[in-house]
Amino acid sequence: MSNKAIATAKRTKEILEKFGFSFKKSLGQNFLIDVNILEKIIGYAEINKDTASIEIGPGMGALTEQLAIHSDKVVAFEIDQRLVPILQETLSNYPNIEIINEDVLKADIKSIITTHFKEDQEVKIVANLPYYITTPILMKLLMDRLPISSITVMIQKEVADRMAASPNTKSYGSLSIAVQYYTNARVVMNVPKTVFMPQPNVDSSVLHLKLRKEPPVQVENEAYFFDFVQACFGQRRKTLRNNLVRHFDSILTKQQIESLLTESEIDGGRRGESLNIHEFATLSNTFYSATVK
């Protein structure tokens, strides 16, 4: 199967020429041309014949083809209408693929899962995501509380590092907290630019997110918690105290902020990057009670 795979430079060029396809920079189109990388992604995602797969941005179908070979059924969201006839041809040998020409950010994925997959089937998301819109897509997938077990995505290396980062590292920030609230995150593989057509300007990584059954912390209000964490990283070089004074400018006095920090037993002289998710939850809940309740 591999020698005829879509994911080769030769076959990709043939398809591009046949359909007169030109890449749209605005859609961040970089197609994978290395079957080995795709097979590794399938392995890290733990795809098998019982699994239902969702793909975002199938492009010419390189990853879609491998998902169809290894999983029970694939639903792929493609926003670019020009690619739909190409996909219908390149994937015509696989009856277990459904292409949906829709923007995944606007899609009702829950109802699509109900409609297209078997009841109680394990659903996994696997994708080579466009770099310019990685974070909004992943946050939507997580915040929609979909009945999925994992997300395995090829994304910009720097963003993958931020999502999987630990406290006291340069990459650690509010995005790390948001992703780790919903998942166990780890970078499973780094990928060179050379396996893409056209080659992107940045290196890529494969990020594996295993969905948690329950968040690791209890927060009074999720939206408030994420907003609060963002405020604590407002200016990275500044202390928690300074960032919170700025954030609660017209709501709390400096003295009130100081007493809430004392109540939380967290030193206001620390920086946001030194706090773990449990400390952020304690702090956020204390401030929530004082400012919202």
Side-chain angles (χ1 to χ4, degrees):
M1 198 82 212
S2 294
N3 61 345
K4 292 182 182 171
I6 295 165
T8 63
K10 184 171 179 281
R11 180 97 194 273
T12 302
K13 277 181 189 151
E14 281 169 8
I15 297 165
L16 286 171
E17 281 165 20
K18 179 176 179 181
F19 288 90
F21 184 85
S22 54
F23 294 98
K24 255 194 194 165
K25 215 171 172 155
S26 64
L27 293 176
Q29 288 169 330
N30 303 94
F31 299 159
L32 271 160
I33 51 169
D34 187 315
V35 179
N36 292 332
I37 299 278
L38 292 173
E39 286 177 346
K40 282 181 181 167
I41 293 171
I42 299 283
Y44 283 121
E46 297 177 342
I47 298 294
N48 59 50
K49 276 298 180 190
D50 296 324
T51 320
S53 307
I54 293 176
E55 188 190 4
I56 297 153
M60 289 189 174
L63 176 57
T64 328
E65 175 177 53
Q66 298 304 318
L67 286 168
I69 291 166
H70 294 93
S71 70
D72 177 45
K73 180 158 187 197
V74 187
V75 168
F77 289 93
E78 179 50 66
I79 193 172
D80 188 349
Q81 208 161 354
R82 301 173 308 150
L83 283 165
V84 176
I86 300 179
L87 288 163
Q88 282 165 345
E89 179 165 316
T90 58
L91 301 170
S92 59
N93 291 340
Y94 304 99
N96 59 336
I97 298 173
E98 188 83 38
I99 306 293
I100 297 178
N101 181 206
E102 194 178 347
D103 180 351
V104 76
L105 287 171
K106 296 178 181 154
D108 181 353
I109 303 172
K110 249 182 203 159
S111 76
I112 284 164
I113 288 173
T114 311
T115 314
H116 291 279
F117 299 137
K118 295 170 191 159
E119 205 179 334
D120 297 329
Q121 189 168 25
E122 187 175 16
V123 181
K124 298 183 175 191
I125 295 178
V126 188
N128 169 26
L129 289 180
Y131 295 155
Y132 76 102
I133 203 166
T134 296
T135 304
I137 289 176
L138 283 176
M139 290 319 295
K140 174 194 161 66
L141 297 175
L142 296 176
M143 293 175 91
D144 281 2
R145 293 283 208 278
L146 300 170
I148 57 175
S149 62
S150 69
I151 301 173
T152 309
V153 283
M154 170 100 74
I155 59 176
Q156 189 175 336
K157 183 180 187 304
E158 187 193 330
V159 179
D161 289 343
R162 280 166 56 204
M163 289 183 174
S166 306
N168 295 309
T169 60
K170 195 164 63 100
S171 299
Y172 186 69
S174 55
L175 186 59
S176 323
I177 296 287
V179 170
Q180 291 166 36
Y181 180 82
Y182 295 107
T183 73
N184 280 304
R186 65 191 182 101
V187 175
V188 291
M189 177 168 78
N190 293 324
V191 180
K193 304 170 191 175
T194 49
V195 302
F196 294 97
M197 184 186 291
Q199 282 190 28
N201 302 323
V202 294
D203 287 318
S204 305
S205 292
V206 176
L207 179 76
H208 181 67
L209 304 173
K210 194 167 173 50
L211 276 287
R212 296 180 186 271
K213 297 229 178 335
E214 292 291 329
V217 289
Q218 286 229 281
V219 297
E220 298 281 347
N221 179 297
E222 281 181 8
Y224 184 95
F225 172 66
F226 294 134
D227 188 51
F228 183 89
V229 171
Q230 243 170 343
C232 292
F233 284 99
Q235 290 177 295
R236 280 190 81 92
R237 308 305 303 157
K238 296 210 163 176
T239 62
L240 277 176
R241 183 183 291 110
N242 286 341
N243 275 323
L244 291 170
V245 165
R246 192 162 159 260
H247 182 66
F248 289 107
D249 184 26
S250 54
I251 303 164
L252 295 170
T253 64
K254 283 184 181 178
Q255 286 77 10
Q256 286 172 311
I257 286 170
E258 205 53 62
S259 71
L260 289 169
L261 283 163
T262 306
E263 190 187 323
S264 309
E265 296 180 1
I266 288 170
D267 178 1
R270 289 170 66 183
R271 287 196 184 131
E273 67 199 50
S274 75
L275 272 69
N276 63 36
I277 194 167
H278 300 279
E279 291 174 305
F280 274 121
T282 301
L283 206 50
S284 161
N285 288 342
T286 306
F287 274 79
Y288 181 80
S289 300
T291 55
V292 179
K293 278 189 170 173

